[in-house]
């Protein structure tokens, strides 16, 4: 599957066949390298990471930002010597998925408070900026969404409004282009399990 925001007309005129796909859901940590002022004050010097949830691991090489809902309340789970930032309403689900950690009492921030935080991409030497977006789901995952402006309409529109690069490292055959280290030449479906394995390693 290859989404191209610039080819809507051509795609609409093409005949499309659909095949059922089982998508893995994963939780991914984005280490905080420059917290917003409010996040820095709340952390008090503690190491932190923002945790996103996605069912499309293959889009992670194109990540350029993380979106939080502006009015959602976020808190932290303390695990492995760091604070994992997630939506307060989804702490229980995240703890269950992780199988470790404990809630941090007293840490309460809105998505707007997180805006401006800069995280590191999990394995690429690239920043991932925290922004706010009303489309962020508040009833599943972690309440934080990884944003890849080259993949998906909402990501594209948000990226365009923020002046982000519309980066799509997948060619017309659905394979990663040569610049994508570790996964070049793989189809997005072939890359899914390999990206998960790379993250685990």
């Amino acid at each position: 599957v290859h989404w191209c925001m610039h080819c809507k007309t051509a795609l609409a005129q093409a005949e499309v066949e659909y095949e059922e796909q089982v998508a893995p859901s994963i939780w991914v940590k984005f280490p905080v390298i420059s917290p917003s002022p409010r996040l820095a004050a709340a952390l008090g010097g503690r190491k932190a990471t923002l945790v996103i949830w996605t069912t499309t691991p293959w889009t992670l090489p194109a990540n350029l930002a993380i979106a939080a809902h502006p009015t959602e309340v976020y808190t932290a789970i303390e695990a492995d010597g760091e604070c994992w930032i997630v939506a307060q309403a989804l702490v229980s689900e995240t703890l269950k998925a992780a199988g470790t950690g404990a809630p941090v009492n007293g840490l309460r921030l809105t998505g707007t408070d997180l805006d401006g935080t800069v995280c590191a991409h999990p394995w690429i030497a690239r920043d991932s900026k925290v922004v706010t977006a009303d489309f962020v789901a508040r009833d599943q995952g972690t309440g934080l969404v990884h944003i890849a402006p080259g993949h998906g309409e909402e990501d594209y529109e948000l990226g365009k409004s923020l002046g982000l690069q519309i980066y799509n490292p997948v060619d017309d055959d659905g394979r990663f282009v040569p610049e994508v280290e570790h996964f070049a030449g793989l189809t997005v479906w072939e890359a899914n399990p390999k990206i998960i394995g790379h993250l685990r390693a």
Side-chain angles (χ1 to χ4, degrees):
V1 175
H2 178 218
W3 288 286
C4 177
M5 298 308 303
H6 306 290
C7 303
K8 287 181 179 177
T9 302
L11 287 173
Q13 294 171 350
E15 190 173 312
V16 180
E17 291 184 9
Y18 294 93
E19 180 181 342
E20 296 251 346
Q21 293 283 348
V22 177
S25 60
I26 61 170
W27 286 256
V28 184
K29 297 192 297 182
F30 283 69
V32 173
I33 55 177
S34 178
S36 67
R38 288 184 180 273
L39 177 58
L43 289 171
R46 289 174 290 188
K47 183 179 178 182
T49 184
L50 268 64
V51 182
I52 67 94
W53 175 81
T54 182
T55 58
T56 55
W58 67 268
T59 62
L60 287 168
N63 171 272
L64 295 179
I66 298 168
H69 193 284
T71 62
E72 183 65 33
V73 175
Y74 292 84
T75 186
I77 294 168
E78 189 169 2
D80 297 335
E82 61 187 7
C83 292
W84 299 352
I85 307 299
V86 299
Q88 183 170 294
L90 295 162
V91 166
S92 295
E93 289 84 346
T94 307
L95 283 170
K96 184 178 179 180
T100 187
V104 176
N105 295 323
L107 196 156
R108 286 171 56 90
L109 299 165
T110 65
T112 299
D113 293 332
L114 297 176
D115 193 8
T117 295
V118 180
C119 295
H121 188 282
W123 76 86
I124 299 171
R126 180 197 303 151
D127 291 347
S128 188
K129 299 177 181 180
V130 180
V131 299
T132 59
D134 289 332
F135 64 73
V136 173
R138 298 190 275 180
D139 59 351
Q140 62 179 349
T142 64
L144 294 164
V145 176
H146 107 82
I147 300 297
H151 303 306
E153 187 169 2
E154 289 177 327
D155 291 37
Y156 171 80
E157 295 296 343
L158 180 61
K160 188 177 177 183
S161 72
L162 296 170
L164 298 177
Q165 179 186 1
I166 309 303
Y167 178 53
N168 177 13
V170 180
D171 66 20
D172 291 338
D173 294 323
R175 295 181 179 276
F176 281 107
V177 297
E179 70 188 65
V180 181
E181 190 178 5
H182 307 298
F183 313 113
L186 298 177
T187 68
V188 295
W189 305 122
E190 291 168 342
N192 259 346
K194 293 186 180 297
I195 288 172
I196 293 170
H198 187 63
L199 287 167
R200 283 178 173 149

